[in-house]
């Protein structure tokens, strides 16, 4: 049996990259949990929570293809720092709206601030994925993806918990202000990162032709396309966490502190899965394991939707995070191993459109279904649809079903 490659944490650049990632996650998640509570407190309408996702995903969709192009052709650290500054600006605006320091009324200023954040977020994934491949060797990618998932999910655990506690103890404006501090810290981490920039970044071709190259690469790669599509539709139909404020108030009858726990539970499960995978990276039967994990995620969503007890709901979300963590690590590894370095920005932007935007579209879908069917039926139906998506993917993408990660190395 061959020895494991040197730990990715031995790389100084990788450590700075992980600091950047967790700070951006803290910033975004604190804003997400605070703005969800803020909007639902004003409206008591689940559909208004769905509109939060729509407000973010529209600018995200419009900017993401160009962000990937820019990441492939400009200095990646500088672009990432600018994107983090946009997140900080977004959080500051929300804080000022909360204390009435801006002469604006109604929900539209909140949704506009969220839209500005969506523009900044469109750069975060491509910057991270492009720099990931510059600070690690290929034989470190699998373990690096697992460690990255631990960091990612830790941010998803602690960010909502911090946001919920601050909203309950100090007020919404304090939570927004801390989110701005984390965003600026992420910008600083990128600027301090020692990493070489690839020479091909300076070779610029026609913008739309270059973006098209990235799209053709993804849609011509069955394994990568199937992995992205599987994750996208699972999050789109099975992601019930956007309705957490409504569940807390109307089903579980708890406060903002409980909302932070509920939003952080899936990420805590994902941390546990990623920690295990960092020590035991998957290779053989990776495709079957990924499909099974997403199906189990859908089943957990059904359980969450039917639960009326707070800690049982936390348990189902925790378990869903374990299965989602397995899927995330495998998808991240496939993405890194399959993508040529000169196309990482563009391919990562496609990945962002598939995955990151599906969270916001999923929030809009969940809010719309909750208005049509009610909270509980919307979540239960979404869980069953997720399981159906797994079956279709296994049928239509046999190469993913038979995937062994050693074939990509």
């Amino acid at each position: 049996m061959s020895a494991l490659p040197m730990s990715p944490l031995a790389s100084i650049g990788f450590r700075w990259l992980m600091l950047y990632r967790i700070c951006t996650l803290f910033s975004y998640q604190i804003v997400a949990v605070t703005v969800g509570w803020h909007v639902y407190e004003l409206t008591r309408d689940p559909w208004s929570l769905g509109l939060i996702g729509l407000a973010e995903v529209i600018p995200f969709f419009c900017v993401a293809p160009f962000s990937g192009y820019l990441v492939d052709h400009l200095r990646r650290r500088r672009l990432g720092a600018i994107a983090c500054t946009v997140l900080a600006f977004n959080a500051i605006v929300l804080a000022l709206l909360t204390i009435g320091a801006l002469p604006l009324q109604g929900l539209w200023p909140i949704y506009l601030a969220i839209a500005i954040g969506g523009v900044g977020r469109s750069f975060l994934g491509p910057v991270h994925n492009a720099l990931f491949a510059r600070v690690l060797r290929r034989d470190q990618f699998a373990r690096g993806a697992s460690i990255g998932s631990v960091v990612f999910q830790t941010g998803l655990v602690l960010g909502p918990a911090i946001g919920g506690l601050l909203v309950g103890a100090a007020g919404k404006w304090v939570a927004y202000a801390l989110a701005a501090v984390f965003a600026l810290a992420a910008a600083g981490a990128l600027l301090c990162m020692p990493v070489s920039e690839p020479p091909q970044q300076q070779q610029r071709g026609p913008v739309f032709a270059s973006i098209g190259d990235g799209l053709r690469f993804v849609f011509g790669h069955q394994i990568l396309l199937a992995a992205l599509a599987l994750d996208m539709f699972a999050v789109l139909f099975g992601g019930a966490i956007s309705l957490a404020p409504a569940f807390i108030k109307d089903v579980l009858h708890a406060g903002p502190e409980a909302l932070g726990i509920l939003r952080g539970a899936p990420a805590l499960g994902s941390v546990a899965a990623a920690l295990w995978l960092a020590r035991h990276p998957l290779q053989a039967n990776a495709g079957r394991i990924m499909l099974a994990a997403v199906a189990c995620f859908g089943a957990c969503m059904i359980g969450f939707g039917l639960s009326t007890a707070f800690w049982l709901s936390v348990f189902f979300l925790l378990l869903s995070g374990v299965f989602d963590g397995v899927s995330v690590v495998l998808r991240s590894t496939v993405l890194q191993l399959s993508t040529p370095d000169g196309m990482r920005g563009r391919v990562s932007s496609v990945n962002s459109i598939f995955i990151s935007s599906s969270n916001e579209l999923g929030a809009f879908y969940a809010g719309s279904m909750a208005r049509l069917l009610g909270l509980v039926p919307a979540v239960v139906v979404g869980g069953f649809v997720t399981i159906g998506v797994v079956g279709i993917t296994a049928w239509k993408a046999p190469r993913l079903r038979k995937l062994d990660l050693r074939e990509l190395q």
Side-chain angles (χ1 to χ4, degrees):
M1 182 177 178
S2 60
L4 287 174
M6 181 183 298
S7 171
L9 291 173
S11 165
I12 297 174
F14 183 75
R15 295 200 296 269
W16 279 110
L17 183 64
M18 293 300 100
L19 179 61
Y20 153 77
R21 193 175 206 196
I22 198 165
C23 285
T24 54
L25 284 163
F26 279 161
S27 177
Y28 172 70
Q29 288 299 318
I30 290 172
V31 167
V33 74
T34 306
V35 82
W37 187 264
H38 190 177
V39 169
Y40 198 71
E41 197 173 51
L42 293 173
T43 65
R44 299 303 295 263
D45 183 357
W47 195 57
S48 66
L49 298 175
L51 290 177
I52 293 175
L54 190 64
E56 186 168 10
V57 78
I58 291 175
F60 188 102
F61 261 129
C62 294
V63 176
F66 300 96
S67 67
Y69 172 84
L70 292 173
V71 167
D72 279 339
H73 293 86
L74 299 177
R75 296 187 66 82
R76 293 159 176 179
R77 291 185 300 157
R78 186 177 301 168
L79 281 173
I82 293 171
C84 291
T85 304
V86 172
L87 289 186
F89 174 76
N90 167 47
I92 291 170
V93 169
L94 288 168
L96 294 175
L97 287 171
T98 301
I99 61 176
L102 296 178
L104 302 171
Q105 301 294 326
L107 291 178
W108 72 265
I110 298 175
Y111 290 133
L112 179 60
I114 293 167
I116 294 170
V119 173
R121 277 194 66 214
S122 69
F123 287 87
L124 300 182
V127 167
H128 169 269
N129 289 329
L131 291 174
F132 180 96
R134 302 299 300 177
V135 297
L136 295 180
R137 303 190 309 266
R138 286 184 68 85
D139 62 352
Q140 295 176 307
F141 281 4
R143 294 187 71 195
S146 296
I147 294 171
S149 183
V150 171
V151 171
F152 180 80
Q153 301 299 342
T154 298
L156 297 188
V157 172
L158 297 181
I162 293 170
L165 288 172
L166 284 177
V167 170
K172 296 183 286 293
W173 76 269
V174 176
Y176 288 135
L178 183 60
V181 171
F182 276 121
L184 294 175
L190 275 183
L191 295 176
C192 292
M193 182 189 306
V195 63
S196 62
E197 299 283 2
Q200 60 265 39
Q201 281 186 304
Q202 307 304 321
Q203 300 173 4
R204 306 185 188 184
V207 175
F208 290 101
S210 184
I211 293 171
D213 289 340
L215 289 170
R216 280 189 293 273
F217 177 83
V218 172
F219 281 88
H221 196 296
Q222 185 187 108
I223 294 174
L224 180 58
L225 178 62
L228 296 182
L230 177 65
D231 217 336
M232 180 187 76
F233 285 111
V235 173
L236 177 62
F237 295 115
I241 199 64
S242 63
L243 297 176
F247 268 89
I248 285 290
K249 282 184 174 290
D250 300 339
V251 177
L252 304 175
H253 308 294
E257 298 85 357
L259 174 61
I261 294 173
L262 206 64
R263 286 196 66 118
L268 184 61
S270 293
V271 168
L275 283 171
W276 191 88
L277 291 173
R279 296 292 300 171
H280 307 87
L282 295 172
Q283 292 187 337
N285 299 315
R288 289 187 178 91
I289 292 171
M290 185 177 187
L291 289 164
V294 176
C296 291
F297 170 82
C300 290
M301 289 299 99
I302 296 171
F304 169 72
L306 295 174
S307 170
T308 56
F310 175 72
W311 289 110
L312 183 60
S313 298
V314 171
F315 170 76
F316 278 119
L317 289 179
L318 181 74
L319 196 58
S320 76
V322 172
F323 296 119
D324 185 53
V326 174
S327 173
V328 166
V329 169
L330 289 174
R331 174 177 53 78
S332 299
T333 305
V334 169
L335 178 69
Q336 292 293 348
L337 290 174
S338 302
T339 309
D341 190 68
M343 298 184 68
R344 290 190 183 278
R346 283 162 288 171
V347 173
S348 294
S349 71
V350 177
N351 173 64
S352 296
I353 291 172
F354 269 83
I355 306 305
S356 299
S357 63
S358 65
N359 288 287
E360 285 70 45
L361 284 177
F364 178 69
Y365 166 83
S368 301
M369 292 296 287
R371 167 169 279 195
L372 292 172
L373 304 177
L375 277 175
V376 172
V379 174
V380 172
V381 169
F384 278 112
V385 173
T386 300
I387 295 172
V389 166
V390 173
I392 294 172
T393 304
W395 172 42
K396 291 290 187 178
R399 291 187 63 193
L400 177 66
R401 188 177 69 246
K402 301 172 184 177
L403 174 64
D404 184 322
L405 287 177
R406 289 170 293 190
E407 299 172 2
L408 301 178
Q409 293 176 350

